[in-house]
Amino acid sequence: MFTSWRSFKRAPHETHWRERKMVPCTLKNKYYFWASTFGNIHGNFQMHKSFTFVGLNLNLSDCPPLGLESLKVSDDQLESSSYLSVGLGPHRGRLNIQSGLDDDDEYDGAWCAGVEDQEQWLQLNALRPTLFTGVILQGRNSIWSLNWVRTYKVQFSNDSSVWQPCMNGSEEAVFIGNEDLETPVLALFPEPSVAQYIRINPQTWFSNGTICLRAEVLGCPVPDPDSPHFSETESGSSDDLDFRHHNYNEMRKLMKSVNDKCPNITRIYTIGRSYTGLKLYVMEISDNPGKHELGEPEFRYVAGMHGNEVLGRELLLNLMQYICREYNQGNQRVIQLVKDTRIHLLPSMNPDGYETAYEKGSELSGWALGRYSFEGIDMNHNFPDLNNIMWDAQELAINKRRVSNHYIPMPEYYTSTEALVAPETRAVISWMQDIPFVLSANLHGGELVVTYPFDCTRDWIPRQDTPTADNDFFRWLATVYASTNLVMANPERRICHSEDFLQHNNIINGADWHTVPGSMNDFSYLHTNCFEITVELSCDKFPHASELPIEWENNKESLLLYMEQVHRGLKGVIRDKDTRAGIANAVIKVDGLGHDIRSAVDGDYWRLLNPGEYKITVWAEGYFPRIRHCSVGSEPHATICDFTLTKTSQDRLKQILASGGKIPRDNQVRIRAMRMRKLRASTKILNRRREQQRLNKIKRK
């Protein structure tokens, strides 16, 4: 039977496939199909119209990856002709899998054949009849060796005994593979074939290496009622949300549509621009958007710091849609959350990097493309390293208790126009200063684990458990997310790459994983009042669009429950006893915890704490200190613990001076504010320079 295949008209950034006509491969005459259209759009391989399989109508809207990279394909489904070592077995032949620090361990960076000849193969059992349409190949991930496959053939089988080659007309097709370790290379089959098994058969490889590859297979499952793996519908989500990848313009439109549907509880604002001028949009969700309400905590989610780690971006777009819809439908949990919390969602901190990865697509962007800013900056190492400033001061201090453990000013050099600070990083720092955030999470991808501060080790040790004073509460926060994430909570899940985080209940101190000087989490904790963790959402940094519904279900409860943790601990207002006005920048000390926080502009404060009895001391410049004992319960709402402070009398000040003492001054706040003003001034200068450069380029054109 004759079939016509052609490509869609494409945008400039889409992969182009020439028009072609071909005869489909059929095995044992079991399946027949006709009249379909094929194309590649952002890595999502589209099949349109319909296929007819022996009286069954099959509507194929998408031929996605089968899931080697996402681990939807289990290790048991992969076999090989031979393998070089256990760590280079067929289970490691997965697109973008990362090796451990050392080669030759049990978690190496590819499948490598044990014999160097043209009879070697990596085989996938799809478990059910599947229309195979293509393969994506990558070399071995390694810092010690160079190995990749240059050309290969493909065979299909229904029973793993009788094999038929994929043909290109009258000849067996030979596909072009790789010329480096990391760049994914796509090959579409000239004759897509229905089968249960597929083999990748290397023919040539890098001359100084051996047969090693990582792969993804593209295919559409075929309805087969006789198969035990047959199901009419794939698992997904019952929520009617916009499950697809959104580029910059599409993201703006979606956010605008949410704002239109929920104008009374949403507001869109920007905190700055990327290097190329793309705005950093934030969605605010509150019952009184645009205003900080006394006693109401501020919460933020940040996604897309690494532009190619895209799941967080889509989850935040899903989350804003979900909250809007559920609020309008009267969901009491969501209504309470919106009423009691001011929520800020930044879905794309690195829009420049995302656009780069998006142009290649979900399978072809590789492991690193789009990770960095336009200038090549890793923004998770780009914040001021306040950890070592604090630790160095503690080492030199005679009285370590006098060393500030909070609100540490950024270093002077960091505020200059010459400092290598991304405009996106500058924008986020300014945002942190403007809003008294209490709790945050930074959404990443490429692993399944939740990390908590500190992210940086002392003395530049590569990895070492480096806890904060609030280690117990940070572990609680990490556990809240990890234990309710449906994938992390599954004790049978496969590890992503080489780290077994299951043994740590899927949470780990960031520095005990790998040291990250200048992380956003550490800066947030040491420079502001905000507690922040990192959530690594998935093994696959750029999941295929077809996987987004189930990823939403995996993370929905975690996202909601984590936000609700902002209401744990203590909160209150610190006021002047005589005027009743709120006192800003009052210091709140918890006895036994070496990390203080400060009151916001209106005098309100929030101190995240586990259940227990606490001795709290509050002081402010020009006031006598005050001590109270406050109790934190296990209920998910904060205990109110207000303070009134009495001003220090002039007579008392004279006594202090007469006795040779010094009047306590809050220089930490002054220096911090001064450095922030300098950072903002240098940011304005750099923004003007970039804008002028853009205008000059336009004039030259």
Side-chain angles (χ1 to χ4, degrees), residues 323-482:
I323 292 176
C324 172
R325 187 194 68 186
E326 294 299 303
Y327 184 91
N328 286 339
Q329 293 181 358
N331 183 320
Q332 288 304 305
R333 181 188 187 186
V334 170
I335 290 172
Q336 195 70 36
L337 186 63
V338 172
K339 179 182 175 183
D340 295 343
T341 320
R342 191 178 180 210
I343 302 164
H344 305 258
L345 308 178
L346 172 60
S348 186
M349 181 177 166
N350 181 6
D352 294 348
Y354 176 82
E355 292 298 298
T356 299
Y358 178 85
E359 288 184 8
K360 278 288 186 179
S362 59
E363 276 50 71
L364 301 181
S365 58
W367 188 251
L369 183 67
R371 174 185 176 89
Y372 305 103
S373 74
F374 185 86
E375 302 167 277
I377 296 172
D378 186 335
M379 283 185 267
N380 205 32
H381 294 258
N382 197 223
F383 288 80
D385 176 9
L386 304 184
N387 305 57
N388 284 288
I389 291 175
M390 179 181 69
W391 293 330
D392 290 347
Q394 289 173 348
E395 290 293 326
L396 297 172
I398 297 174
N399 185 352
K400 292 180 173 52
R401 297 182 66 181
R402 291 185 175 273
V403 176
S404 179
N405 58 32
H406 74 294
Y407 260 43
I408 300 172
M410 66 187 79
E412 180 77 21
Y413 76 85
Y414 194 87
T415 66
S416 75
T417 57
E418 304 306 314
L420 188 62
V421 184
E424 300 88 346
T425 309
R426 291 171 177 266
V428 169
I429 291 175
S430 185
W431 185 40
M432 290 178 174
Q433 291 260 348
D434 288 339
I435 297 174
F437 291 113
V438 179
L439 182 61
S440 174
N442 183 11
L443 307 182
H444 284 247
E447 257 297 351
L448 274 167
V449 68
V450 182
T451 73
Y452 52 90
F454 285 120
D455 288 334
C456 182
T457 60
R458 300 182 78 147
D459 303 319
W460 306 102
I461 296 170
R463 61 184 297 176
Q464 184 180 62
D465 187 25
T466 311
T468 66
D470 290 284
N471 191 57
D472 289 344
F473 193 79
F474 271 118
R475 287 181 60 83
W476 164 260
L477 290 172
T479 300
V480 163
Y481 201 102

Side-chain angles (χ1 to χ4, degrees), residues 226-237:
D226 297 329
S227 169
H229 301 283
F230 171 75
S231 64
E232 290 292 342
T233 58
E234 292 289 334
S235 59
S237 174

Side-chain angles (χ1 to χ4, degrees), residues 2-7 16-23 36 38-39 133 168 187-192:
F2 185 80
T3 299
S4 174
W5 299 71
R6 64 177 177 79
S7 67
H16 174 68
W17 305 108
R18 60 184 174 83
E19 292 190 2
R20 53 174 72 92
K21 291 185 177 180
M22 62 203 69
V23 177
S36 76
F38 177 83
T133 59
N168 187 8
L188 297 176
F189 301 152
E191 300 184 0

